[in-house]
Amino acid sequence: MTVTAVAALIGAVVGASASITAALLTQRATDRRDRERRMWDRRVDTYDDMMATIHRFARMRAHAERTGRLPESRGRRDEARGSAQLLTARIEIYSSEKLRGACEKAFAEIQNWMRAWEAWHERDVGLRLQSDKDAKWQVFLQCVRDSKEADRALLDLVHIDVHGKKRKSVENSSEDNALP
C-alpha cells in the first residue's frame, strides 16, 4: 500500500512538473512571438513611412526635372528633410545594416539633387536653362539619375525584406505617380 501511495505521489509530482514546464515553455514562446510581432509591426510602419517619404521626394524630383521648379516651399522642403532624418533613426532601429546603408544612400542622393537644383535655380533667370548647354542643369540631371537609382535599390531591399523576393520593375506613364 505504501508502494502504491509513493508511486501515486511520484506520478503526481512528475505530472505537475511536466504541466508547469509546458506552461512555462508555452508562455516563453508566446512572449517571444508577441515581441517579434510588435517589432515586425514597427518595422512595417517604418517601411510605410519610408516608402511614402521616398515617393514624395520622387514626385518633387520629377516635377523639378520637368518644370525647373520645386512644387513646395523651402519651409516644406526643410520639414520633409527633418522627417527624413527622424525616419532614418527609426530605420536604424528596425532594419538590417544593408537596408540602413541603402536608406542613407537614398536620402543623401535626395540632398544632392536638391542642392544641385538650388545651385542651378539661384542663377540669374537669363542664365538658367533647362538644356544640354547649361552645365548646372546637367549636374542636376545627373543627381536626379543617381537619386532614382538609389531609390530603386532601397525599395528593392524593402520588398525583399517584406516579401522575401525582389519586386518586379514597375513602369508607369505618369512621372508624378511613378515609382522612382
Side-chain angles (χ1 to χ4, degrees):
M1 186 158 230
T2 57
V3 174
T4 306
V6 170
L9 185 58
I10 290 172
V13 168
V14 168
S17 296
S19 293
I20 290 171
T21 302
L24 288 174
L25 290 175
T26 300
Q27 186 60 43
R28 282 182 71 189
T30 300
D31 289 347
R32 186 178 315 118
R33 186 189 70 230
D34 289 346
R35 184 174 49 255
E36 288 173 3
R37 168 77 60 198
R38 284 190 306 274
M39 285 297 285
W40 181 249
D41 288 346
R42 290 178 186 142
R43 282 174 87 180
V44 168
D45 289 344
T46 299
Y47 291 169
D48 286 347
D49 291 347
M50 182 183 59
M51 298 279 288
T53 299
I54 291 295
H55 285 287
R56 179 177 181 203
F57 280 113
R59 285 189 304 273
M60 287 172 60
R61 181 180 62 217
H63 184 80
E65 185 178 16
R66 193 174 54 253
T67 67
R69 293 178 291 117
L70 287 181
E72 299 184 17
S73 69
R74 184 183 263 307
R76 290 195 46 121
R77 289 193 304 268
D78 290 341
E79 180 183 320
R81 287 177 182 156
S83 70
Q85 289 173 343
L86 290 173
L87 184 56
T88 301
R90 287 177 45 209
I91 289 168
E92 180 93 16
I93 294 169
Y94 299 117
S95 67
S96 69
E97 187 174 326
K98 191 172 184 178
L99 201 138
R100 284 192 302 271
C103 182
E104 289 171 7
K105 172 86 171 144
F107 287 150
E109 294 299 341
I110 288 169
Q111 294 298 315
N112 287 343
W113 74 256
M114 289 181 96
R115 279 193 294 270
W117 178 86
E118 287 170 352
W120 172 80
H121 190 262
E122 288 174 358
R123 299 171 75 187
D124 289 335
V125 174
L127 298 175
R128 201 181 321 150
L129 301 171
Q130 285 178 255
S131 76
D132 294 340
K133 297 177 182 175
D134 190 329
K136 289 193 182 238
W137 182 254
Q138 293 306 308
V139 168
F140 166 70
L141 291 179
Q142 181 58 51
C143 290
V144 164
R145 287 189 291 274
D146 294 344
S147 182
K148 287 178 182 180
E149 184 179 316
D151 287 356
R152 278 187 215 102
L154 174 60
L155 296 178
D156 284 344
L157 285 174
V158 169
H159 198 270
I160 289 168
D161 193 34
V162 172
H163 299 287
K165 59 185 175 183
K166 192 173 180 178
R167 71 185 173 99
K168 293 181 181 178
S169 180
V170 177
E171 296 297 326
N172 191 329
S173 60
S174 170
E175 285 189 57
D176 280 342
N177 295 322
L179 289 172

